[in-house]
Amino acid sequence: MEHLELFFKSIFIDNMVFATFLGMCSYLAVSKKVTTAVGLGAAVIFVLAVTVPLNWLLDQYILQPGALSWLGVEYAEYDLSFLSFILFIATIATMVQLVEIIVEKFSPSLYNSLGIFLPLIAVNCAILGGSLFMQSREIATLGLATTYGIGSGIGWFLAILAIAAIREKIRYSNIPAPLRGLGITFIVTGLMAIGFMSFGGMLTGGDEEAKEAPKTEAVKETKEEVKAKDVKKKELANNTKETIK
């Protein structure tokens, strides 16, 4: 359940585009056609699915204070957290270079259509944001980090696929001249972000009910205690009356 909750939360509630507005440059520039959006979205899923768990390993065994204790007691005091950005970006750049080689080899047309935005995945703030959010939220295990990376990538993929499909449709719509192009795209993105905000209570309803349950039990216990006190008072009153008689 923990993996499932994190997976859906990273897709819908903490969506990279609609919740934190990361990766907007590629989102706006490569979303004119669905085919191009699908190619870039798949590349982002792959890069996030690989780099987030790799960066989790780097964070756990190299970057955190005392993480080098596995090398020996003399290394336990070292703190390399200041290298987080450098190592994270190095890992991301390596994976992006691998994706670029694969896309150029097996799909030259997609490689040409993506153009400069494929190598720019290396500095895409959504990719780096996935690793930094993983670090700040202190994800506990490698499996959860992998789930978070895949879910974040799918969330970004769904966002760019949806806006690409909408932009292909509204191309034939009668849109006012001042709003054509990026204007209507920003408006649609804002409306989609509002729609994704409705998923905010999807995974919190059970927690609220669980929190409210002990309160009701406590209230019931207090009522029972009040009744017991009243019965004791009546018994004491009756006993005092009998002793007086």
Side-chain angles (χ1 to χ4, degrees), residues 6 14 26 33-34 61-62 70 82 86 88 94 106 149 154 165 174 183 199 206 211 213-215 231 243-244:
L6 182 62
D14 296 331
S26 304
K33 293 182 180 179
V34 171
Y61 296 103
I62 296 178
W70 56 277
F82 64 95
I86 297 174
F88 287 177
T94 304
F106 294 101
I154 292 174
N174 187 17
F199 293 102
K211 290 178 182 177
K215 293 181 180 179
V231 170
T243 52
I244 290 169

Side-chain angles (χ1 to χ4, degrees), residues 142-216:
L142 179 63
L144 286 174
T146 306
T147 301
Y148 179 71
I150 296 172
S152 299
I154 292 174
W156 200 90
F157 172 78
L158 291 177
I160 194 171
L161 180 63
I163 195 64
I166 292 172
R167 290 181 76 175
E168 281 193 355
K169 292 294 183 182
I170 63 176
R171 190 179 303 165
Y172 306 102
S173 302
N174 187 17
I175 300 171
L179 294 179
R180 290 174 187 170
L182 286 179
I184 192 65
T185 304
F186 275 114
I187 293 173
V188 173
T189 301
L191 294 174
M192 292 171 67
I194 294 172
F196 269 69
M197 286 175 63
S198 62
F199 293 102
M202 184 173 65
L203 300 175
T204 58
D207 296 336
E208 292 177 357
E209 290 176 2
K211 290 178 182 177
E212 290 176 358
K215 293 181 180 179
T216 54

Side-chain angles (χ1 to χ4, degrees), residues 55 58-59 63 80-93 122-125 127-133 135-136:
N55 287 333
L58 289 175
D59 183 57
L63 297 174
L80 300 179
S81 57
F82 64 95
L83 295 174
S84 295
F85 283 96
I86 297 174
L87 290 181
F88 287 177
I89 292 174
T91 305
I92 292 168
V123 291
N124 190 334
C125 49
I127 307 295
L128 182 60
S131 297
L132 293 178
F133 287 149
Q135 186 185 44
S136 63

